């Protein structure tokens, strides 16, 4: 088995790895005598974990939303209303993913700047009165008839592709702040300004982490990286301090059970904790959640993990955390493998997607467990939300394309 795994990294010479201009996490790729047949195709274990998360998410969206027709806010809808829409989003996402998988990484690199400009256009378009759809006071959606599309989800993928392309182009000047880091910082600032106008601070946090992570993995030195991190932390702190409702949300997070916050800003968090507490070790069983019966708002979207915790208990939550950890680590490995094959752009794209999935899942889980202040971020691949599911699947299709081209190169072909 060990020999078989080593065979996956066939064509790389140790000297070639040492000469790469990017970090690959200390991994060594040594040449072996033969390439096994297992390198053909793409990572099937990753595929099955993705399918498992999508299937579990589909079941939980139905479970968490089945009682919503009783809520007058939703009008007269069928018990399967959200289930049908989620299945439709999955169908559209699968078709889009298959199409995305057909696009070579060289084409993604060639059109990186065009994709970024398209995402900026949609972020501006959603702010235009009469075009952008307002939900709960936020203008974040474009109505496409059959489904609503959230431009911030496209922006996440666009930033991954653009930042990877940017680092490849700036590799020779990566040690210079004004020539390497500042232009990327300005691009992220423009995206951030448009997102904060919606407002959508959660998406801005994810995008900032993606861009910063790709800069670091691309070779920006540690001093510049920590400077960027400090600037971002101070910027987010200023946003919270000068925004009354954001500041109130922080105070509610610190004490959600107080008389002031229990029925206000701390309501979602307190009921999320009640749901997870009811689940104990093994949960109350699938469909047995009480909190989803109009006690826990957004149970099928941002707080899906709370319903999972109530119905599957600590075991279910730990299993889910383990699956996302494995998913993130596996995608990072695919990225490192691409970099070791001297495919820096493809490797940085894969690692960017890993940071996107991992960080957003971390934030969502932290919010549901009361470890982080409440943010409007969904659980990737699982929560209800058509555009989020669509872009998650497209991003993963790009990762599978990276893995496919890696394996193609390892058997002597051309990507």
């Amino acid at each position: 088995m060990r020999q078989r795994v080593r065979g996956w990294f066939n064509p790389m010479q140790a000297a070639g790895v040492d000469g790469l201009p990017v970090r690959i996490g200390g991994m060594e790729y040594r040449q072996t005598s033969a390439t096994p047949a297992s390198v053909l195709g793409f990572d099937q274990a990753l595929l099955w974990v993705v399918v498992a998360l999508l299937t579990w998410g589909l079941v939980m969206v139905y479970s968490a939303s089945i009682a919503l027709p009783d809520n007058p806010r939703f009008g007269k809808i069928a018990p399967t209303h959200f289930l049908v829409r989620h299945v439709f989003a999955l169908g559209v996402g699968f078709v889009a993913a298959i199409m995305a998988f057909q696009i070579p990484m060289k084409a993604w690199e060639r059109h990186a700047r065009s994709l970024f400009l398209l995402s900026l256009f949609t972020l501006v378009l959603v702010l235009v009165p009469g075009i952008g759809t307002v939900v709960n006071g936020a203008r974040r959606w474009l109505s496409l008839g059959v489904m609503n599309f959230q431009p911030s989800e496209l922006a996440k993928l666009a930033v991954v592709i653009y930042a990877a392309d940017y680092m490849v182009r700036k590799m020779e000047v990566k040690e210079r702040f004004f020539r390497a880091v500042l232009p990327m910082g300005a691009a992220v600032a423009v995206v951030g300004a448009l997102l904060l106008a919606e407002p959508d601070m959660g998406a801005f946090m994810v995008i900032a982490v993606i861009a910063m992570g790709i800069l670091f993995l691309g070779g920006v030195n540690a001093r510049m990286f920590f400077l960027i991190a400090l600037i971002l932390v101070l910027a987010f702190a200023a946003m919270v301090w000068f925004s009354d409702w954001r500041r109130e949300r922080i105070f509610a997070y610190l004490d959600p059970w107080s008389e002031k916050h229990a029925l206000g800003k701390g309501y979602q968090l307190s009921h999320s904790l009640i749901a997870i507490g009811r689940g104990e070790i093994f949960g109350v069983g699938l469909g047995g959640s009480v909190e989803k019966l109009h006690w826990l708002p957004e149970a099928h979207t941002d707080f899906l993990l709370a319903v999972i915790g109530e119905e599957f208990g600590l075991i279910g939550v730990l299993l889910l955390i383990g699956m996302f950890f494995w998913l993130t680590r596996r995608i990072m490995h695919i990225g490192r493998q691409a970099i070791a094959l001297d495919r820096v752009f493809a490797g940085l794209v894969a690692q960017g997607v890993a940071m996107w999935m991992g960080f957003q899942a971390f934030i969502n889980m932290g919010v549901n467990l009361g470890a982080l202040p409440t943010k409007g971020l969904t659980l990737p691949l699982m929560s209800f939300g058509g555009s989020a599911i669509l872009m998650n699947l497209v991003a993963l299709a790009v990762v599978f394309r990276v893995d496919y081209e890696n394996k193609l190169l390892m058997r002597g072909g051309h990507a």
Side-chain angles (χ1 to χ4, degrees):
M1 180 64 183
R2 182 179 299 176
Q3 186 68 24
R4 181 182 179 187
V5 173
R6 287 179 179 174
W8 284 16
F9 312 123
N10 178 29
M12 290 308 304
Q13 300 284 351
V17 174
D18 293 338
L20 290 177
V22 292
R23 299 177 178 88
I24 59 174
M27 296 290 289
E28 292 186 3
Y29 297 82
R30 301 187 183 276
Q31 190 167 3
T32 57
S33 58
T35 303
S38 60
V39 301
L40 302 179
F42 48 80
D43 196 321
Q44 295 186 19
L46 178 61
L47 176 63
W48 284 114
V49 169
V50 170
V51 170
L53 287 171
L54 291 171
T55 304
W56 195 359
L58 180 64
V59 172
M60 293 313 302
V61 164
Y62 183 45
S63 176
S65 64
I66 195 170
L68 291 181
D70 298 333
N71 191 331
R73 184 166 71 95
F74 294 99
K76 295 180 180 180
I77 59 174
T80 57
H81 174 79
F82 291 98
L83 174 66
V84 171
R85 293 183 66 186
H86 195 72
V87 170
F88 177 76
L90 286 173
V92 173
F94 277 125
V95 172
I98 292 172
M99 294 172 63
F101 180 77
Q102 309 302 318
I103 302 174
M105 293 309 298
K106 289 181 180 178
W108 286 108
E109 185 174 9
R110 189 165 56 251
H111 298 292
R113 280 168 279 189
S114 299
L115 180 62
F116 182 71
L117 291 175
L118 174 63
S119 70
L120 288 180
F121 174 73
T122 58
L123 287 173
V124 171
L125 196 63
V126 78
L127 297 175
V128 178
I131 297 180
T133 302
V134 179
V135 178
N136 295 330
R139 190 184 298 273
R140 302 177 184 174
W141 293 268
L142 293 173
S143 178
L144 301 181
V146 294
M147 64 182 291
N148 288 333
F149 182 74
Q150 198 167 353
S152 61
E153 296 297 331
L154 174 62
K156 293 172 187 175
L157 177 63
V159 167
V160 169
I161 302 292
Y162 177 73
D165 171 65
Y166 178 85
M167 279 312 302
V168 171
R169 289 186 285 111
K170 297 290 184 178
M171 198 62 72
E172 294 181 357
V173 294
K174 63 184 179 181
E175 300 294 332
R176 302 180 185 179
F177 181 82
F178 289 102
R179 293 188 63 184
V181 179
L182 193 60
M184 188 66 213
V188 173
V190 171
V191 174
L194 293 172
L195 288 172
L196 291 175
E198 295 183 3
D200 193 350
M201 186 175 175
F204 180 32
M205 289 176 62
V206 174
I207 286 173
V209 167
I210 290 170
M212 187 172 64
I214 290 178
L215 286 176
F216 178 69
L217 292 170
V220 170
N221 68 48
R223 285 179 298 177
M224 285 194 286
F225 174 77
F226 286 117
L227 176 61
I228 299 167
L230 178 62
I231 292 172
L232 284 175
V233 169
L234 292 176
F236 286 124
M239 292 174 203
V240 172
W241 182 257
F242 291 106
S243 173
D244 291 338
W245 64 273
R246 287 193 179 105
R247 191 167 62 249
E248 189 66 24
R249 181 175 287 182
I250 296 295
F251 292 146
Y253 153 71
L254 295 173
D255 188 11
W257 306 103
S258 69
E259 184 177 349
K260 179 181 179 181
H261 299 131
L263 296 177
K265 295 292 185 182
Y267 183 81
Q268 280 181 304
L269 175 56
S270 59
H271 280 276
S272 176
L273 295 175
I274 291 170
I276 292 172
R278 287 193 73 249
E280 297 184 346
I281 303 296
F282 299 103
V284 297
L286 180 61
S289 169
V290 172
E291 284 297 317
K292 70 184 182 184
L293 304 177
H294 312 304
W295 294 103
L296 177 63
E298 309 299 335
H300 60 308
T301 56
D302 300 351
F303 284 85
L304 189 68
L305 181 70
V307 180
I308 293 174
E310 187 175 3
E311 297 189 350
F312 291 92
L314 177 64
I315 300 299
V317 172
L318 290 178
L319 175 62
L320 188 62
I321 291 173
M323 291 175 73
F324 271 103
F325 177 78
W326 186 93
L327 178 83
T328 303
R329 188 173 181 272
R330 190 77 162 200
I331 298 174
M332 288 294 287
H333 170 74
I334 291 172
R336 288 197 302 269
Q337 193 177 50
I339 291 170
L341 291 167
D342 205 17
R343 304 175 60 238
V344 178
F345 169 76
L348 291 177
V349 167
Q351 292 180 333
V353 173
M355 288 184 286
W356 169 7
M357 298 292 170
F359 182 71
Q360 185 163 327
F362 172 78
I363 294 295
N364 179 272
M365 292 174 181
V367 167
N368 278 255
L369 296 171
L372 295 171
T374 304
K375 290 304 308 164
L377 285 174
T378 58
L379 188 61
L381 302 173
M382 298 189 73
S383 292
F384 176 81
S387 53
I389 289 290
L390 169 63
M391 297 315 302
N392 286 170
L393 290 176
V394 169
L396 287 170
V398 175
V399 172
F400 282 118
R401 179 71 195 193
V402 173
D403 188 51
Y404 168 77
E405 292 184 4
N406 287 348
K407 290 177 169 55
L408 194 63
L409 284 172
M410 285 190 283
R411 58 189 284 254
H414 298 280

